[in-house]
Amino acid sequence: MTVISRKPQESLQESLQQVIRLLERHKLVEGMVHKQEMAKHDLVEQLVHRQNLTELQMKLAALHPADIAHILEALPPADRLTIWGLVDAEDDGEILLEVSDAVRESLLADMAPHEMVAAAGQLDTDELADLVPDLPQEVQSEVLGTLDAEDRAEVQSAMSYTDDQVGALMDFEMVTIRADVRLEVVLRYLRRFDELPTHTDKLFVVDDEEIIKGVLPLNKLLVSDPEQYVGDVMADDVVIFQPFDDAGEAAQAFERYDLVSAPVVDSNHKVIGRITVDQMVDVIREESEAEVLSLAGLKDEDLFSSVGKAVKNRWPWLAINICTAFVASRVIGVFEDTISHLVALAALMPIVSGIGGNTGTQTTTLIIRGLALGQITTSNTRMLLIKELGIAVINGLVWGGVLGVIAWALYGKWDLGLVMTAAMMLNMLVAALVGLFVPLTMQKLGRDPAYGSSVMITALTDSLGFFIFLGLATVFLM
């Protein structure tokens, strides 16, 4: 028998399209019924409404909370709230954790306080720490009041760290064992659990003071002689994290060492929690999404956010663009006489600035990636500078030469071709410098290196590209 499997993304997109079709049919049928004149109109309208929503509800009940979160992200606000009202209340907490901050805010605004408390009650303590800060103050107090002293202390501990620190992601469910017991005892101990904490691939070996001594991988436990002691088979080269460590760096370590879970310890190496691969995948995804938005000078924005919020989020960099565009126009204005005497310059200017912008974007993308991976240090910055300048010189000579020949062929002026070649090379050098130092400067100032980098590079390469090209033309062609 042949089994045909579908990729998760394809299945998810199919589910999204099905939900959209059901919503559209729901609106169409309800609109038609609403316009009809008939006996017991209100009763018929209620029955049709209930039937349509029941079909939607059945579709949503068959989906994973993460899939529902994706669907909510892809719907306009009105449809999003319709779907949110049909979701099984038992999934509310997980869905709120999966959606973006902007969408979560809109969903919480539609919930009553008791619904928020119920949603929070479905979550583990480490998950609660992610959700509670977004709840209204009075709801936060009520949620924390429903916890026992130990759980409340764990939530408050996780909430004491910022979102980009390991401590905010800690999972407090873990299995610890002692080094001086036999593996047979460990196996009996594990059988007492109804189930192990998710992503348990190793047990943490600690002493009487809960100080980390090593780890015992489950695969090692299962294949070793039950009569051996834990201390004889455990691994003592443990990758550990502290709660104030950067979450992004922890995610890189998970990728580098192929980790599934790892202990979190305090300054005395006492185990206080653990982090798992599912949390690190979320960190990588969120950082990737944030970097894409940051390159355009945007912060977290809902795809279907209101016009007012979107305008407020985007106007700072648009204002900067207007200022830089004005500077570029003034650069051109300074060379009005040159352009009026040689109109070909007006046709060639966009080529010089456009190639420069592309070169700068390539350089800055490489640098931002290097900074994110921790590969760029003060010791190798000079080498990077020399490399990027070398690339710019070669590309400038080659492609500048090609464009110079084209300009000569089009306008019959060999000196215009030389100016074009020189301008291209110089602008590529400038673009390489800008692409290198803009993200490095942003990081030195304590800002996200990606934030607004593409906007700044485009602005600088345009203005300087015009100045270089028109300046050379004024000197050598007039």
Side-chain angles (χ1 to χ4, degrees), residues 107-222:
L107 297 179
L108 288 173
D110 190 59
M111 297 177 71
H114 71 275
E115 292 175 323
M116 297 182 197
V117 174
Q122 303 152 12
L123 303 176
D124 296 330
T125 52
D126 58 307
E127 296 172 325
L128 268 178
D130 291 333
L131 180 61
V132 168
D134 293 331
L135 302 177
Q137 190 62 48
E138 62 276 10
V139 178
Q140 289 187 27
S141 301
E142 188 172 350
V143 169
L144 293 175
T146 62
L147 305 176
D148 59 37
E150 182 180 356
D151 287 345
R152 184 163 55 251
E154 290 177 351
V155 172
Q156 290 173 334
S157 172
M159 288 173 58
S160 67
Y161 302 101
T162 60
D163 291 340
D164 60 350
Q165 292 179 331
V166 166
L169 306 172
M170 277 193 303
D171 181 354
F172 298 98
E173 291 188 2
M174 56 189 169
V175 180
T176 59
I177 56 175
R178 300 288 187 265
D180 57 352
V181 299
R182 298 182 187 275
L183 298 184
E184 181 186 4
V185 175
V186 175
L187 289 168
R188 288 204 307 269
Y189 171 61
L190 294 181
R191 293 191 189 101
R192 293 168 54 189
F193 288 84
D194 293 330
E195 60 179 0
L196 293 176
T198 57
H199 301 292
T200 297
D201 67 316
K202 60 177 71 76
L203 310 179
F204 302 152
V205 183
V206 298
D207 63 13
D208 294 338
E209 302 295 327
E210 297 296 320
I211 305 298
I212 188 75
K213 294 299 180 184
V215 294
L216 177 61
L218 289 183
N219 58 357
K220 187 77 172 178
L221 169 64
L222 294 174

Side-chain angles (χ1 to χ4, degrees), residues 38-51:
M38 64 182 78
K40 298 183 178 179
H41 179 275
D42 291 344
L43 178 60
V44 173
E45 193 169 8
Q46 288 177 15
L47 289 173
V48 171
H49 177 79
R50 190 176 303 166
Q51 181 179 355

